[in-house]
Amino acid sequence: MRKPRDFDAELKALSDKAKLLRDRKLVQLGELVLAAGADALPVEQLAGALLAAAQSSDTSTKEAWRKSGAAFFQRTARGAARGAGRGASGDAASDGSAKPNPAGPRAA
């Protein structure tokens, strides 16, 4: 005879897994904001930019954003591969070069 399934335990396991995935997504979004340098923006400005992006229906603008984002991730992936040149504290080795700011100069 087959053992009866414990639906409550399975439901709890699925619920726990969903919570872990939501938490991981939240952490990754925060890391993305930091990596992009958007943490320097006021919260209201960042929220407004995200709302405008989410509500945009202009496909050419969205495609430009997608390409820019893909280029950003390619740059960061290459930077991570060169992370072997970092010190024990995780700071970049001082080689005299500075990373260009992809957002351009900011007005004060």
Side-chain angles (χ1 to χ4, degrees), residues 33-103:
V33 168
L34 291 172
D39 59 322
L41 297 173
V43 174
E44 296 83 4
Q45 189 176 11
L46 179 59
L50 290 171
L51 286 169
Q55 295 169 354
S56 175
S57 60
D58 183 9
T59 55
S60 64
T61 301
K62 285 185 174 184
E63 179 61 16
W65 290 337
R66 187 199 63 76
K67 287 180 181 178
S68 176
F72 170 79
F73 284 116
Q74 288 175 353
R75 282 191 309 269
T76 57
R78 278 185 257 141
R82 288 184 285 218
R86 296 184 177 273
S89 66
D91 295 333
S94 178
D95 61 359
S97 65
K99 287 185 179 179
N101 185 354

Side-chain angles (χ1 to χ4, degrees), residues 6-25:
D6 186 358
F7 290 110
D8 290 333
E10 290 179 27
L11 186 60
K12 177 159 178 21
L14 286 173
S15 174
D16 291 345
K17 185 173 182 177
K19 183 181 181 335
L20 283 173
L21 290 172
R22 281 191 306 270
D23 290 347
R24 185 181 309 157
K25 182 178 179 180

